[in-house]
Amino acid sequence: MSLFTPLSRVPKQDGDFETLLTEIDAVNIRRSRRILPAEWYPQSGIWLTWPHEETDWAPMLKEITETYVRMAYEIARREPLLIVHPRAEEVRNLLCTRLPQKVVKKICFFSAPTNDTWTRDHGVLSVLSTAGWELTDCCFNGWGGKFPAQHDNALTHKLHEAGIIKGAYVDALDFVLEGGSIESNGTDTILTTEQCLCTPTRGKGRTRQYIESKFEELFGTEHVLWLTHGHLAGDDTDGHIDTLARFCPGNVIAYVKCNDKTDEHYADLQLMEQELHELRDADNKQYTLVPLPMAPACFDEEGQRLPATYANFLILPRAILLPTYSDEARDQQARRTLAQLFPKYDIVGIDARTLIQQHGSIHCAAMQLPRSILQPSETYQK
């Protein structure tokens, strides 16, 4: 039985769709007929897929659960939160003992089998079209077949069938695409990496031309920016853009910069920085580039370096959840940088040292659901 616990506060529903178009970008959506909203656009909530003993988190389940409790608190005190877990009632009982009641009341709980916890990559891609919201369900194949993904790949469809996420369901399961592999500026441009999207393990014949045509079809994207450099040691996603460079409001790209010539990343990240300087937006204007510090080196128990990065931050309404790595100087530098880019936002540090042990961080673990997507419900689905 799949359990859905209702929201105590219903997200605002806009009956006037033209109002929503104006808030997003009426000119661009009418030109392309659909857009992939930027992460800082109005949200109805955040989706987390919660860790459990049948995931790779089993050896450190207590530690990672503490991280997720902290994330759940910081999210649900600001907006609704959807939590998916094979036995969601267990998570609800836990959070009832750990979080204030007014925070727990803003959390939806849904029971379904899951393989892992990286919601960014198996979660729905919400697209705004001239007809309303489209819930675009691309295929998640475990980052090119590296890990089992059959349960995670089914979650978007299950949530839609249960009425928990609302919109026109778009079956794009013939196209492998993870949310962490693309960055949208919310109008007409996607930023991505060639080393990830063009890998044969995500499908044969995946050329730039093919991928750009799919982006235009699914997201109305008219402008695709490709990086061919930039990779973090230990990254098993083949180079997700959300570990390297992120769109921010005002035609800004925040990116990871390495100044240490002895660091193994130095040469490649210098080349990535050169590529970023050469990028132009759809109006042929240069982006404002803002460097983020290189995160301190983190290692697993076998001494292998992990892909720690400050670029993997999550944008909430009026708050940024910033991964931190117990390095006061660098953590504070990253905090100050994001405070300049998001001056009206709280910059909230989340200790990501446990998260990074499974090669991901804050942004990887969450997926935003734009306004009107997440729905309250009192139904149970078998």
Side-chain angles (χ1 to χ4, degrees):
M1 176 177 291
S2 294
L3 169 68
F4 177 70
T5 301
L7 293 170
S8 64
R9 296 183 183 180
V10 180
K12 180 181 178 183
Q13 303 299 306
D14 248 326
D16 181 2
F17 189 68
E18 284 298 315
T19 300
L20 186 55
L21 291 183
T22 301
E23 291 180 0
I24 300 297
D25 190 329
V27 174
N28 279 282
I29 195 171
R30 288 195 177 98
R31 183 177 65 206
S32 63
R33 300 192 62 78
R34 54 178 49 84
I35 58 172
L36 184 63
E39 193 170 321
W40 56 85
Y41 285 167
Q43 297 178 4
S44 62
I46 294 287
W47 167 6
L48 294 179
T49 303
W50 201 267
H52 55 87
E53 66 275 8
E54 296 168 11
T55 65
D56 288 342
W57 291 114
M60 58 188 91
L61 188 59
K62 180 178 179 181
E63 294 84 354
I64 194 60
T65 298
E66 289 300 309
T67 303
Y68 270 72
V69 169
R70 173 72 195 286
M71 287 194 294
Y73 171 71
E74 295 296 347
I75 294 167
R77 65 190 289 250
R78 294 176 169 88
E79 64 174 327
L81 170 63
L82 167 65
I83 291 176
V84 177
H85 182 277
R87 296 167 302 283
E89 188 68 15
E90 294 178 7
V91 184
R92 188 187 71 82
N93 291 338
L94 168 67
L95 294 182
C96 282
T97 68
R98 298 293 303 278
L99 303 183
Q101 184 180 9
K102 65 180 180 180
V103 173
V104 177
K105 284 183 177 180
K106 293 176 69 177
I107 305 177
C108 313
F109 298 91
F110 182 73
S111 290
T114 64
N115 300 105
D116 214 329
T117 57
W118 304 115
T119 315
R120 177 64 46 179
D121 295 339
H122 62 248
V124 63
L125 294 171
S126 305
V127 179
L128 187 58
S129 77
T130 51
W133 286 107
E134 296 178 351
L135 306 178
T136 304
D137 190 5
C138 294
C139 178
F140 175 59
N141 73 345
W143 307 283
K146 296 182 180 73
F147 302 98
Q150 72 280 8
H151 296 316
D152 293 344
N153 190 43
L155 290 177
T156 291
H157 189 257
K158 288 182 177 180
L159 289 166
H160 178 256
E161 281 195 321
I164 298 168
I165 54 176
K166 182 179 180 181
Y169 179 79
V170 176
D171 184 344
L173 292 169
D174 60 341
F175 181 53
V176 177
L177 183 71
E178 302 108 40
S181 69
I182 56 174
E183 270 286 301
S184 173
N185 72 344
T187 54
D188 53 13
T189 301
I190 282 178
L191 175 65
T192 189
T193 67
E194 185 178 82
Q195 60 266 35
C196 176
L197 291 195
C198 293
T199 179
T201 57
R202 286 171 172 81
K204 296 180 180 179
R206 286 174 64 98
T207 63
R208 284 191 181 190
Q209 183 178 9
Y210 166 75
I211 292 166
E212 288 179 5
S213 69
K214 292 297 292 187
F215 285 173
E216 183 177 8
E217 172 192 343
L218 296 173
F219 311 132
T221 305
E222 300 178 351
H223 192 49
V224 181
L225 303 173
W226 295 89
L227 295 180
T228 61
H229 292 281
H231 181 270
L232 301 181
D235 176 16
D236 51 15
T237 69
D238 303 306
H240 272 188
I241 192 65
D242 70 350
T243 67
L244 299 167
R246 302 287 303 281
F247 278 127
C248 299
N251 220 36
V252 172
I253 297 177
Y255 70 100
V256 175
K257 182 178 177 64
C258 182
N259 293 315
D260 182 359
K261 294 183 179 180
T262 66
D263 192 299
E264 62 185 294
H265 299 100
Y266 178 79
D268 197 40
L269 290 180
Q270 288 289 311
L271 291 171
M272 184 189 78
E273 185 178 43
Q274 292 177 21
E275 287 186 311
L276 288 169
H277 277 289
E278 294 169 0
L279 297 181
R280 298 294 183 271
D281 67 13
D283 296 320
N284 202 35
K285 295 180 180 179
Q286 192 171 15
Y287 289 94
T288 299
L289 302 182
V290 177
L292 291 165
M294 187 76 191
C298 297
F299 301 90
D300 63 16
E301 292 181 350
E302 299 177 354
Q304 300 297 312
R305 191 162 179 177
L306 298 166
T309 172
Y310 292 111
N312 209 248
F313 57 86
L314 178 68
I315 304 174
L316 306 178
R318 299 303 179 192
I320 304 293
L321 299 192
L322 170 69
T324 60
Y325 302 96
S326 194
D327 184 310
E328 184 175 355
R330 299 192 212 199
D331 291 350
Q332 288 301 321
Q333 183 182 349
R335 189 189 302 268
R336 288 192 299 269
T337 299
L338 289 178
Q340 293 174 353
L341 296 177
F342 295 89
K344 296 182 179 180
Y345 287 61
D346 296 328
I347 310 301
V348 181
I350 303 285
D351 189 336
R353 287 177 295 168
T354 301
L355 267 173
I356 203 64
Q357 291 297 316
Q358 287 295 329
H359 309 268
S361 200
I362 305 296
H363 193 253
C364 301
M367 175 58 82
Q368 74 278 359
L369 301 170
R371 176 185 285 184
S372 301
I373 297 294
L374 183 58
Q375 300 294 310
S377 173
E378 296 182 0
T379 62
Y380 292 80
Q381 181 198 7
K382 293 184 179 180

